[in-house]
Amino acid sequence: MPTHVHYGHIFHLAGSPRITEAVDALVSIPDGALVVGEDGTILFVGERSQLPDLYASARAHDHTGGYLLPGFVDTHIHFPQTYAGASYGGGQLLEWLTQCIFPSEAEFADPEFAADAALEFTRRRIAAGTTAAMVFGSAFPHAQDALFRTTLKAGLRIVSGRGIQTRGPDSAQPLITSEGDAIRLTRAEIEQWHAADTGDVSTALLHVAIVPRFSLAVTPETLRNLGELYDEFRDRGVYVHSHLNENDRPATGEVDTTKQDFHVNTYLDTYDGKFLPGSAVGGKSLLGRRTILAHCVHCQDVELARMAETGTSISHCPVSQLFLGSGTMPWKRTVASGVNISAGTDFGGGDEWLIPRVVGDAFKQHISEAGDDGVSIHPAEMLFLATLGGARALDMEDRFGNFDLGKEADFVVVQPAGALKGLLRNALRSQEAELAREQTLFALLMGIRESSVAEVYVQGNRVGI
């Protein structure tokens, strides 16, 4: 493709900051230029007035009044819940799964239904500006095949794996496999789809994850077998994805039930190879730089420390946590642990596809934490959750997540529409330039809706289907 230059108000986080360093890394260029080379990488980012003459003949895209942001990264979303968002079944997590989610996911046994869902899922991702996603997959191989094919056709990034269950209630029976088939089907998915588009994990858009649904959906034998499988494929860049410490209703919640069922000290131990009674080692760890655990609302300090030590990331899902009454991930304590934090919609454990809505709810949730735990998240930290933190969680920060030179050009063009347009045009701003910059970014992130997501690019190519 020819060289392109996109003009607009640029926001991104330069370099490789921790979330606590996001404020200092924030870059705002109101009259900016982003040059994308023939290979889809970023050649220049800066003031329009300083655009080198070298790019004078580049194909120009003038997004006047619009914003250029790094592509949004969703690190926890459920493909087989495409049509199950905001399902009402009473109760909390475990009841909701039994009454609403397991039956909905079982419908993906129909190949035609699954193919239609893959198309809808991909279209919704594009509409929300989600360029990269960690996708909790269907139990059915034909559904996963449809998801990978449709994603590749659209030109999006994906990490996904079939949801693994070897035990569960009656409503989950269509999703459950034998111990042997759990490994056989997961291995087959890795062999067929991991880096299938380029043959090289360092350039691929398609990646595969090992995805035990959560500890209560598998057995110690499953965890042991998955640890062996991951150890075999870890060096090929395969991922791990699951849920951790989501709901702690006393005695009958997910956290207590898991600890009682496995007789372990912490929920995390079950993923760390310590799934035998007393947290004795029973197999290999599933933790690491390509492991993302969703929710982490009720983590002990020792769990946070272990995740930080191993490079395991958290997918923070405040919309879902509100929807299911799971509680609030303690912001200050989690950040202080040093663990990387990204953002997940967790659709359909909630009703949002748009990552800016997730980080907006994170702001509202954490400013409302009790007493000294309450914190006003800085807009630069919100941008980190939505972009760079997700790229880091996917261990692809060297490829995308911001506009550093040489990275692949994944970005979203936001053209404010409706209420957001008036807000950004007319809202009062501070006379202090730095605060005015932050006020604009905050209003933008809080106000973005799908109607304002005008164009979506991956590797410099506009995506669509």
Side-chain angles (χ1 to χ4, degrees):
M1 78 179 180
T3 299
H4 294 254
V5 56
H6 294 263
Y7 298 113
H9 188 153
I10 293 170
F11 276 115
H12 79 119
L13 302 172
S16 184
R18 292 174 174 267
I19 193 167
T20 52
E21 302 163 337
V23 178
D24 292 333
L26 180 61
V27 173
S28 172
I29 311 173
D31 191 14
L34 179 71
V35 178
V36 180
E38 295 179 2
D39 62 352
T41 62
I42 297 169
L43 301 180
F44 173 85
V45 60
E47 298 284 352
R48 182 172 184 164
S49 61
Q50 297 176 2
L51 184 69
D53 292 340
L54 174 65
Y55 304 121
S57 61
R59 182 176 175 182
H61 305 262
D62 193 349
H63 309 291
T64 300
Y67 296 80
L68 306 180
L69 302 175
F72 302 133
V73 184
D74 187 343
T75 54
H76 184 59
I77 185 170
H78 290 258
F79 165 50
Q81 294 173 24
T82 298
Y83 299 124
S87 293
Y88 176 74
Q92 293 185 328
L93 175 65
L94 299 183
E95 293 87 352
W96 171 77
L97 286 170
T98 299
Q99 296 179 35
C100 303
I101 297 307
F102 293 148
S104 295
E105 293 192 4
E107 294 186 284
F108 281 63
D110 179 347
E112 185 174 348
F113 184 92
D116 288 344
L119 185 60
E120 173 69 8
F121 181 88
T122 304
R123 285 174 172 163
R124 293 298 302 271
R125 277 191 59 188
I126 295 170
T130 301
T131 54
M134 171 65 87
V135 180
F136 199 107
S138 170
F140 303 105
H142 59 257
Q144 287 297 98
D145 293 345
L147 177 64
F148 281 115
R149 284 194 300 266
T150 307
T151 301
L152 183 59
K153 182 179 179 181
L156 293 166
R157 300 183 191 271
I158 191 171
V159 182
S160 186
R162 61 174 304 274
I164 300 165
Q165 290 186 251
T166 52
R167 60 170 173 157
D170 289 344
S171 62
Q173 290 307 306
L175 310 175
I176 292 173
T177 69
S178 66
E179 300 286 357
D181 281 349
I183 301 304
R184 179 182 63 81
L185 293 172
T186 303
R187 179 186 297 275
E189 184 175 33
I190 293 170
E191 296 288 8
Q192 180 178 357
W193 287 112
H194 191 56
D197 53 321
T198 67
D200 182 349
V201 296
S202 68
T203 60
L205 295 177
L206 307 182
H207 300 263
V208 175
I210 294 170
V211 185
R213 181 174 207 113
F214 64 140
S215 294
L216 292 176
V218 296
T219 67
E221 181 181 355
T222 313
L223 290 169
R224 181 174 62 251
N225 292 338
L226 292 179
E228 294 290 338
L229 185 68
Y230 186 45
D231 193 57
E232 177 183 345
F233 284 102
R234 187 189 289 259
D235 289 343
R236 287 175 54 180
V238 168
Y239 292 78
V240 172
H241 186 45
S242 196
H243 302 83
L244 177 69
N245 289 322
E246 181 175 359
N247 185 289
D248 78 336
R249 187 172 55 181
T252 59
E254 173 212 15
V255 177
D256 281 353
T257 304
T258 299
K259 291 163 68 175
Q260 293 164 10
D261 189 83
F262 284 89
H263 304 285
V264 292
N265 299 323
T266 73
Y267 192 155
L268 185 68
D269 285 344
T270 61
Y271 299 129
D272 201 13
K274 306 169 186 176
F275 46 75
L276 297 182
S279 292
V281 173
K284 298 181 184 298
S285 177
L286 294 171
L287 306 184
R289 285 181 59 185
R290 291 199 168 194
T291 298
I292 300 175
L293 298 175
H295 303 296
C296 300
V297 178
H298 306 287
C299 287
Q300 300 176 40
D301 287 344
V302 67
E303 293 175 294
L304 293 172
R306 178 61 176 157
M307 283 189 282
E309 176 189 5
T310 58
T312 300
S313 289
I314 290 173
S315 181
H316 183 26
C317 307
V319 174
S320 168
Q321 288 150 24
L322 289 167
F323 178 74
L324 291 172
S326 298
T328 301
M329 185 194 82
W331 181 263
K332 287 184 177 179
R333 185 162 66 87
T334 304
V335 169
S337 74
V339 66
N340 180 56
I341 309 172
S342 56
T345 59
D346 194 29
F347 194 93
D351 56 358
E352 287 291 347
W353 290 79
L354 192 66
I355 284 292
R357 297 290 287 153
V358 173
V359 300
D361 272 10
F363 177 87
K364 288 177 277 190
Q365 197 172 64
H366 296 301
I367 203 171
S368 301
E369 288 192 60
D372 292 340
D373 291 331
V375 59
S376 175
I377 300 176
H378 193 281
E381 295 172 335
M382 295 166 66
L383 185 62
F384 179 95
L385 288 175
T387 59
L388 192 59
R392 185 170 299 163
L394 294 175
D395 198 28
M396 295 191 212
E397 186 184 355
D398 61 326
R399 296 181 63 185
F400 60 89
N402 61 14
F403 295 140
D404 286 356
L405 299 186
K407 287 195 177 181
E408 297 168 25
D410 290 15
F411 63 99
V412 176
V413 179
V414 178
Q415 286 286 359
L420 179 59
K421 184 176 182 179
L423 177 66
L424 291 168
R425 177 181 295 173
N426 299 313
L428 185 67
R429 292 289 178 259
S430 171
Q431 295 299 310
E432 183 184 336
E434 185 173 307
L435 179 56
R437 173 193 68 168
E438 294 163 359
Q439 290 172 330
T440 297
L441 176 60
F442 182 76
L444 179 66
L445 292 174
M446 294 294 285
I448 290 175
R449 301 294 185 269
E450 290 183 6
S451 60
S452 294
V453 178
E455 299 174 18
V456 182
Y457 292 81
V458 172
Q459 294 179 327
N461 296 306
R462 187 171 179 182
V463 301
I465 195 166

